[in-house]
Amino acid sequence: MRQLVIFATLLPLLLPIAARADLQQELMQVTEHLLMDGAGQLPAGGVVNQPEIIADFYAGNDYQPAWQDREQVRGILDLLGAAAADGLNPADYHYPTLQTLWQRQYEAWENRDRLRARFDVLLSDGLILFIRHLLQGKVDPKQLDPAFNYDRLDFEPGRVSESLRTAIATGSVFDLVERARPGQNFYLQMKAALAYFRELAAAETFVAVADDVVLKPGQSHANVVPLRQRLARLGYLSAEAPAGSTVYDDALESAVRRFQRDHGIDVDGIIGRQSYAFLNMTWDQRVDSLRVNMDRLRWISRETAEDAIIVNIAGFELYYLRDGELLWETPVMTGTIEHQTPIFTARLKYLEFNPIWTVPRSIIRRSLFPAFRANPQYAIDNRYHLYDRSGRQVDPRDLDWSAYSPDNFPFRVVQQPWANNALGRVKFIFPNRHAIYLHDTPAKALFSRSSRAFSSGCVRVQNPFAFAEVLLNDPDNWSLEQINALVDSREQQYRVYLQREVDVMLMYWTTSPTRGDKLQFHADVYGKDAAALAALNAPPGRG
């Protein structure tokens, strides 16, 4: 009898041990199955996105369940459910399945080891994948842009497993997630705007502003009323503005001009085709744009150095950061749709004043050969030197142009330094396989255009001498006056190496920050957003 009493006393303690042993066995079988299956299928249902990492994690955990603190589990579920706030899809992290298991099955888990093992594995997989997407973006940019060469984080299973086990043991799982989320102000601005436009989309049906008339300051027209309403929704008109007025007054013009500036439209205060296109960008379209561009920022958020030159190709903007702060910015021109500026990174090493330009064969075929053949003096007047295969300079006026075509033209063409050199008077070299660089341009009038996709791929800088002065950061030897004097006094190329090389990061954002608290929305000049959005909305790939 005494033995029965002792056994009855110990029974409640022994049962959890037995249950844990069964659960441990189940977790071992599940992870072994994941490695053999290859597709990430769980025996009890569901798909694991990172089978190798999950198998390593549970093997290193002696196949014990990772998630035994109910408050911690509830917090992680809330975290995954809120992934939409970062422009991500909670379903990618098994959130609906986890919610169902949590709400309907948790109380019975002590006797349902396979269900509990499934929950534990899916929660681990969802959390790790969420952290991974915060760290480097969901979409693999190399699938969209083959030129992309930014470093991607190596999610080596052993290191990931150890990090998560340490975070669980020290109670710092939520800190781990927060450290993974980009902290740049640009990201936080986009996140806030995403929440705002989602609220608008949920609260009201979007109605386009009628675009049947060009609106100009001073006019009175019924279309002014919905124009006012739209600008108020977008934060360009205050609540005190006369919402029902049909008069296009000075205050409205000021708001329109700010709106045009922030959307890359010619700032003239006139509501025409371009302005209507952005005014009628729906709330859902703005949500999609923000989600795509948040992911693009995640691609490089760990790459951005304290000193960096960032070119936003879609926004025709250049930003120079020093010690992590925006020091200088300027408008730029980028490649045409046919000759797009690629997305990549390299290090700026030196500047060349009074540069020569070795003309690419594609440009010779497309434009220079026809000009030379029509008028050989054109080459002389524009300081193009022609060299044969032996390196001897030849006079274009002595050639029999009927013997050549754009495809069999055997001469190398080099434009000499002068004011109308295609590269202007300075270029900024960051060696790369694309032969892309930053440079001056004689075609400065084009900077007055709002859309500036005019180059053959390189990036033209509006204020190149001021940029050179800022980069060289040596007022005793390289002031703006000294730079101008150097350029004016020399006919030959002159190279200056930077004391400290700077990262150049070419990116493509159709949403970008302003110096204030607004965001700019740009036209998708290269048509990249649709493919990026489709990849962002697709189920996550195995990794």
Side-chain angles (χ1 to χ4, degrees), residues 1 12 99 146 189 193 309 315 322 336 372 399 424 453 477 494 507:
M1 178 66 69
Q99 273 289 85
Q189 282 181 293
I309 297 163
R322 183 180 291 166
T336 63
F372 293 167
L399 297 178
N477 297 297
Y494 187 82
M507 281 299 296

Side-chain angles (χ1 to χ4, degrees), residues 54 121 339 374 485 492:
I54 292 302
V121 167
H339 304 94
Q492 72 270 27

